[in-house]
Amino acid sequence: MSAGSVALVVPGDFGVADLYELGIPAAVFGTPQPDLADPWYELWLCSTGNRTHDTTPGFTLHSTHKLDDIVRADTVIVSWVPDEVIEDNAPVPPELVTALRDAHDNGARIVSACVGAYALAEAGLLDGKRATAHWMHTALLAERYPKVQVDDSQLYVDEGDVLTSAGMSAGLDVCLHLVRRDLGAHVANQLARRMVVPGHRPGHLGQYVDLSVPASDEQGLASVLDWARARLDEPLTIEDLARKAAMSPRTFYRRLHATTGTTPLQWLLTERITRAQVLLESTDLPMEKIAALSGIGTANNLRHHFLKQVGKSPTDYRRDRS
């Protein structure tokens, strides 16, 4: 499995928010992890203007490549468009649109975060496809590009060769999703652990959760979820999880959904599919055994849920990761 090159499009002028959304893919793809995969990704900073940028908070950034270089990349990530595109309905810079089209035509995987979706939409790469962006900008995106199936409820949308994600921290979710696609669940999970973030948040999770829920883990949900992860091969129920959390099933359901954006049963299924992915990558165990160790039951159940969540059969997934 090859990680390949990742071209991160760097705007000529940017501020604090842009640094955050540029820093996420830079941290994921630009920091070698030789014990997880060697070679790791090759990160290119592709500038739309000068190679040296003085940013709003007083940092200086040096890009390594020109915008035209994205045509040679395996993956292209764009997380911005000029403010006037959003605020004044100005056109997306034509040089960016052309470069994205050329890169896509050359076989690159194109990824957007936040308002970068406007650039992909202007290039026609989202026509007829599902897409998302930061929830504050999805209404305008849908109005301006009616051929795009905009969904503001998604953290990220994977359409194969084109992916879009919501703003800010959702960019980390889509980056880890790309690592999972390229290098497997085990590598993605280990990288997420090093970054002290959840190993996998599926794209269908909501972009935001109930803000009345405290940021701290006062209800002890983290310890309960860790307890469940260690027992995925057992027939866990909502009642089991609620009992461990010393809550009623209704209260546990409400608090988990408010905190994670998903239901207890969907959370369990996602964790079990992730366990199955790791076993498929790292063992030669038969499908029935993997289904049992993952808590999914039978090989038929594994195939059904795996196809629905991962988009391919367990057999195909194992072959692709071999």
Side-chain angles (χ1 to χ4, degrees), residues 1-4 36-41 178-187 280-282 317-322:
M1 293 177 287
S2 174
L36 297 181
D38 193 13
W40 192 246
Y41 295 87
L178 292 173
V179 174
R180 184 177 299 271
R181 270 183 50 174
D182 296 340
L183 300 174
H186 175 72
V187 172
L280 287 166
E281 295 166 13
S282 59
Y317 183 87
R318 171 176 271 172
R319 184 183 62 245
D320 293 345
R321 291 294 182 268
S322 62

Side-chain angles (χ1 to χ4, degrees), residues 11-69:
D13 299 303
F14 49 90
V16 176
D18 301 292
L19 280 175
Y20 182 79
E21 289 172 339
L22 289 170
I24 287 172
V28 171
F29 302 115
T31 304
Q33 307 286 345
D35 58 321
L36 297 181
D38 193 13
W40 192 246
Y41 295 87
E42 181 182 357
L43 180 67
W44 304 348
L45 300 181
C46 298
S47 176
T48 61
N50 296 326
R51 294 286 187 91
T52 300
H53 313 270
D54 292 318
T55 71
T56 299
F59 298 103
T60 298
L61 185 148
H62 300 279
S63 56
T64 58
H65 292 70
K66 299 180 297 183
L67 178 61
D68 291 346
D69 290 329

Side-chain angles (χ1 to χ4, degrees), residues 40-242:
W40 192 246
Y41 295 87
E42 181 182 357
L43 180 67
W44 304 348
L45 300 181
C46 298
S47 176
T48 61
N50 296 326
R51 294 286 187 91
T52 300
H53 313 270
D54 292 318
T55 71
T56 299
F59 298 103
T60 298
L61 185 148
H62 300 279
S63 56
T64 58
H65 292 70
K66 299 180 297 183
L67 178 61
D68 291 346
D69 290 329
I70 72 172
V71 72
R72 300 185 288 107
D74 297 302
T75 299
V76 177
I77 300 177
V78 56
S79 61
W80 69 281
V81 289
D83 290 343
E84 54 267 25
V85 172
I86 309 299
E87 298 171 359
D88 304 321
N89 202 33
V92 178
E95 64 274 15
L96 175 59
V97 173
T98 299
L100 288 173
R101 286 175 179 158
D102 290 345
H104 184 261
D105 290 344
N106 202 42
R109 177 174 57 185
I110 311 296
V111 184
S112 71
C114 197
V115 295
Y118 283 75
L120 274 61
E122 185 66 29
L125 304 183
L126 300 180
D127 288 356
K129 292 183 171 66
R130 297 182 307 121
T132 194
H134 193 291
W135 61 267
M136 293 178 65
H137 304 295
T138 47
L140 180 60
L141 179 67
E143 177 183 347
R144 186 162 175 173
Y145 301 101
K147 293 182 180 180
V148 181
Q149 301 170 26
V150 179
D151 188 346
D152 65 359
S153 68
Q154 306 287 296
L155 281 177
Y156 57 86
V157 175
D158 184 344
E159 289 282 0
D161 60 346
V162 178
L163 298 89
T164 54
S165 73
M168 306 302 282
S169 297
L172 179 54
D173 293 303
V174 76
C175 287
L176 289 173
H177 174 70
L178 292 173
V179 174
R180 184 177 299 271
R181 270 183 50 174
D182 296 340
L183 300 174
H186 175 72
V187 172
N189 290 344
Q190 291 302 308
L191 179 61
R193 184 178 181 184
R194 293 176 184 184
M195 302 183 78
V196 198
V197 295
H200 184 212
R201 289 204 300 168
H204 61 75
L205 295 186
Q207 290 195 22
Y208 50 88
V209 296
D210 185 357
L211 297 180
S212 66
V213 177
S216 62
D217 184 36
E218 293 179 3
Q219 291 81 30
L221 289 180
S223 62
V224 174
L225 299 184
D226 286 342
W227 176 85
R229 288 189 186 98
R231 295 164 175 79
L232 291 175
D233 58 333
E234 300 177 12
L236 298 174
T237 65
I238 296 176
E239 288 75 18
D240 294 329
L241 298 176

